Amino acid sequence: MATQTQESKNMRLISSHDLNGFGNIGEGISIQQTADGRRILYMAHESAPKDITSVDVTDLANPKLIAQTDLAYPHLRSNSLALIDDTMLVAYQSIEPNQPGTGVGVYDIGNPEEPRRIGFFDTQGPQSRGCHCLWWVDGEYAHLSTGTTDSRPTNSKDDQFYVILDVRDLTKPTEAGRWWFPGTQEGDGAPPPDRHPQFDAGHRLHNANVYPERLDRAYCAWMDSGIVTLDISDKSGPSMIAHLNYSPPFPGFTHTVLPIFNRELLVVSQEAVRPGGEDYPKLVWLMDNRVETNPVIISTLPMADTDDFFNRPGRFGAHNLYENQPGPTSFHSDHLVFGTFFNAGVRVFDTTNPFQPEEVAYFIPEIPQTAEANGINDVHVDENGILYVVDRIKGGLYILELTI
């Protein structure tokens, strides 16, 4: 039975915003520090009709919506974004292959009230649904999970792979390199990978993270193929350094790989995609990465009570991690892990002992009157430790602080 009562431990709700009823936020959240001293939170929508919503969070207790744009087509979703200074990249994916508008949009956000597109990388193709996720932190190269105009997957579920996008000319982004999991594109000479017998999510890339500490490495979440570490020192020819997969026997859908460099750890999440825990367990794994060619699973983050959350409406299981996003408006921790778990809200874990991580805080909002469930989807943590948590159904934005 659904709960309508807010639940929390060591976390305080500062404020919330329903985003004019368009709560369906995806997994793109970032903060701009403007020249006039404002702080603007940008969010990408998980589905149509809205594209990007921006909220002035200068006064945390009184967030103010300042812009909400519409998608060019009803078949598009924006889902993912990244920004540096006054430039923002947005990923566009379609429902079906070969629909227009897919790719990466480049926007001038010098005026936050009126974002202006200044460039576009087109990924429309006969077997492409476009770009699902992007990562951009160095100002030069973006890292995409995408189909392309010429992609030819051996299975339609494997239609997105790794593309390095050169955005040094913001008006004319160009491809610098690509890599796919062997056997997932026609003509690559490898046999197609086996499918999961019960939960076939696809052997496609969900996202690829590249950090300033290791600009020659891409840490890739390859859904039913597990985790992949790539050497991208030659951007025109990435090569695989490591591969670890637990699917099968576990269900796949590896979602995010977060490296913790000074502890030589990887934090890896899966995504729960079915209601009522039908595809459980979808976990967050901790891996020893001291030998980067041989990552080893050493523990998982503790999960909330399944007897409780299986019986609540909506999905239950892991999803997004806060990825220690580089930049001046982002928090960095070597020990705290922040994750979103759909109907189980946002949860915080202390990994000081990586063999026995502990949950230290959580927040689950009331289910909005206009929704049947909570769908807590993503979290950004700013440099002051403030959490910006979003819902993929109707809940909108929640601004929180830890009280520990």
Side-chain angles (χ1 to χ4, degrees):
M1 183 177 180
T3 177
Q4 293 292 324
T5 305
Q6 176 180 302
E7 303 165 57
S8 65
K9 172 185 175 181
N10 293 330
M11 209 175 289
R12 183 180 76 87
L13 178 66
I14 299 173
S15 61
S16 62
H17 199 294
D18 72 355
L19 309 183
N20 287 351
F22 296 99
N24 59 331
I25 301 300
E27 41 201 359
I29 316 173
S30 199
I31 295 176
Q32 173 196 29
Q33 182 74 57
T34 67
D36 60 4
R38 293 184 296 165
R39 293 171 66 88
I40 310 298
L41 183 76
Y42 291 82
M43 295 163 282
H45 283 264
E46 186 270 341
S47 56
K50 297 302 178 184
D51 183 358
I52 301 299
T53 293
S54 54
V55 175
D56 188 324
V57 293
T58 311
D59 179 357
L60 293 173
N62 295 286
K64 299 176 182 177
L65 192 150
I66 61 170
Q68 192 167 66
T69 60
D70 292 307
L71 288 162
Y73 303 95
H75 58 255
L76 289 181
R77 60 187 293 192
S78 46
N79 191 63
S80 177
L81 61 78
L83 65 85
I84 297 176
D85 298 327
D86 290 342
T87 303
M88 178 173 64
L89 306 185
V90 180
Y92 293 103
Q93 176 180 302
S94 59
I95 296 172
E96 301 293 338
N98 208 27
Q99 293 179 308
T102 63
V104 176
V106 184
Y107 293 86
D108 180 338
I109 53 172
N111 178 358
E113 283 79 6
E114 296 182 3
R116 181 172 59 90
R117 181 179 286 188
I118 58 174
F120 190 73
F121 177 68
D122 188 357
T123 61
Q124 183 180 347
Q127 297 184 57
S128 173
R129 292 180 300 129
C131 186
H132 181 70
C133 275
L134 61 82
W135 177 264
W136 182 50
V137 297
D138 67 354
E140 296 186 357
Y141 295 95
H143 305 273
L144 316 181
S145 166
T146 189
T148 58
T149 57
D150 60 345
S151 55
R152 298 294 184 269
T154 54
N155 184 297
S156 61
K157 290 186 176 182
D158 306 341
D159 62 341
Q160 290 166 331
F161 53 84
Y162 180 44
V163 169
I164 301 173
L165 189 67
D166 185 338
V167 292
R168 286 175 293 183
D169 181 347
L170 293 170
T171 65
K172 295 178 180 178
T174 57
E175 180 179 328
R178 60 172 65 183
W179 191 91
W180 58 74
F181 200 84
T184 59
Q185 289 287 314
E186 293 179 3
D188 70 2
D194 293 335
R195 321 306 297 184
H196 193 286
Q198 187 178 4
F199 302 110
D200 180 4
H203 294 276
R204 66 183 184 271
L205 176 66
H206 185 272
N207 69 351
N209 291 352
V210 178
Y211 289 83
E213 294 93 329
R214 289 303 306 268
L215 288 174
D216 61 346
R217 295 290 184 267
Y219 298 92
C220 302
W222 221 283
M223 294 186 63
D224 281 6
S225 294
I227 72 164
V228 173
T229 304
L230 295 177
D231 182 339
I232 59 168
S233 51
D234 175 6
K235 291 182 172 54
S236 65
S239 60
M240 184 163 63
I241 292 173
H243 174 225
L244 185 152
N245 197 15
Y246 35 74
S247 169
F250 287 92
F253 214 122
T254 302
H255 187 281
T256 303
V257 180
L258 165 64
I260 300 179
F261 292 101
N262 66 353
R263 298 178 67 202
E264 297 182 294
L265 294 174
L266 300 177
V267 186
V268 179
S269 74
Q270 301 171 267
E271 180 179 356
V273 297
R274 301 193 184 186
E278 183 183 339
D279 57 348
Y280 189 84
K282 293 296 183 70
L283 303 172
V284 180
W285 309 82
L286 267 60
M287 300 180 187
D288 185 320
N289 201 45
R290 285 176 293 174
V291 179
E292 71 167 345
T293 57
N294 185 37
V296 176
I297 294 170
I298 57 174
S299 65
T300 62
L301 298 186
M303 295 293 286
D305 182 4
T306 56
D307 288 341
D308 182 357
F309 288 97
F310 284 176
N311 291 309
R312 300 191 189 193
R315 306 183 194 182
F316 170 63
H319 188 210
N320 271 300
L321 301 174
Y322 172 63
E323 297 159 289
N324 278 341
Q325 200 173 90
T329 59
S330 300
F331 181 73
H332 183 279
S333 177
D334 296 327
H335 293 85
L336 291 180
V337 173
F338 303 79
T340 54
F341 293 82
F342 298 115
N343 68 7
V346 58
R347 310 184 86 88
V348 186
F349 305 87
D350 186 340
T351 66
T352 300
N353 180 351
F355 301 101
Q356 200 169 20
E358 297 180 277
E359 183 178 87
V360 295
Y362 60 78
F363 175 83
I364 306 170
E366 296 180 2
I367 298 176
Q369 293 183 353
T370 55
E372 296 182 356
N374 282 317
I376 300 303
N377 208 44
D378 199 6
V379 54
H380 178 80
V381 188
D382 75 13
E383 74 276 23
N384 302 307
I386 299 299
L387 285 73
Y388 303 82
V389 176
V390 295
D391 190 292
R392 70 183 287 134
I393 304 174
K394 285 289 184 180
L397 167 68
Y398 302 92
I399 302 177
L400 303 152
E401 65 176 350
L402 290 174
T403 57
I404 52 174

